[in-house]
Amino acid sequence: MFLFLVCVIFACGSEKKSSDRNMKKDLKQVVDGSKIYKRYCVSCHGMYGNMGTSGAFDLTKSALTIEEKVGVITNGRKLMTAFKSTLDEEEIKAVAEFTESLKRK
Ligand code: HEC
């Protein structure tokens, strides 16, 4: 019985490791906020965050915290579309963090 358990644990263990590795790979792609920004946000906010198509907020002047940005991106605001059905939490967080880098430029 003990041996059996050990086998099960080992089997699970190695399986988990390989799926963890895959997860990490996915995560790495997912967490690239600049890619997400270029794909979904540039059309309104522009490459540098200040293009302002359809009244888009100048992100270089945004005073929102990451949490507040996550809120705007998740649920949208006025003309800005909500991204909760397009992006997952991780992606929204990553792109919110990316917009911080626009500010410093
Ligand atoms: C359809 C055009 C459009 C797209 C696409 C868009 N936005 Fe916006 N965004 C807007 C508009 C318009 C506002 C201003 C909303 C308002 O006046 O309340 C805004 C506001 C914001 C704000 C709030 C800024 C502040 O300080 O109040 C953030 C952050 C933001 N957008 C980030 C993003 C990110 C990140 C993406 C890509 C995932 C994105 N937006 C895609 C139009 C867009």
Side-chain angles (χ1 to χ4, degrees):
M1 184 55 195
F2 177 70
L3 255 181
F4 171 72
L5 259 181
V6 169
C7 287
V8 168
I9 289 166
F10 265 95
C12 285
S14 60
E15 210 172 278
K16 202 164 171 242
K17 239 177 233 150
S18 70
S19 70
D20 272 356
R21 211 175 297 136
N22 285 340
M23 282 259 297
K24 262 196 199 120
K25 220 160 127 203
D26 288 345
L27 225 60
K28 214 173 164 193
Q29 292 170 339
V30 154
V31 160
D32 188 347
S34 72
K35 262 196 203 134
I36 299 164
Y37 184 86
K38 278 175 201 145
R39 180 142 175 220
Y40 296 106
C41 319
V42 164
S43 55
C44 291
H45 291 284
M47 241 357 257
Y48 304 104
N50 59 0
M51 191 164 78
T53 309
S54 54
F57 198 92
D58 184 346
L59 296 179
T60 64
K61 298 200 175 111
S62 177
L64 297 184
T65 62
I66 294 277
E67 285 73 32
E68 290 168 324
K69 285 181 175 175
V70 165
V72 173
I73 300 163
T74 307
N75 300 310
R77 215 176 72 195
K78 294 187 196 166
L79 284 176
M80 177 159 159
T81 24
F83 281 90
K84 61 179 166 232
S85 51
T86 318
L87 303 172
D88 64 29
E89 248 173 78
E90 209 96 42
E91 293 169 312
I92 290 175
K93 183 114 197 290
V95 78
E97 274 162 8
F98 174 77
T99 63
E100 288 294 294
S101 72
L102 297 170
K103 220 158 67 174
R104 264 170 252 131
K105 266 181 200 144

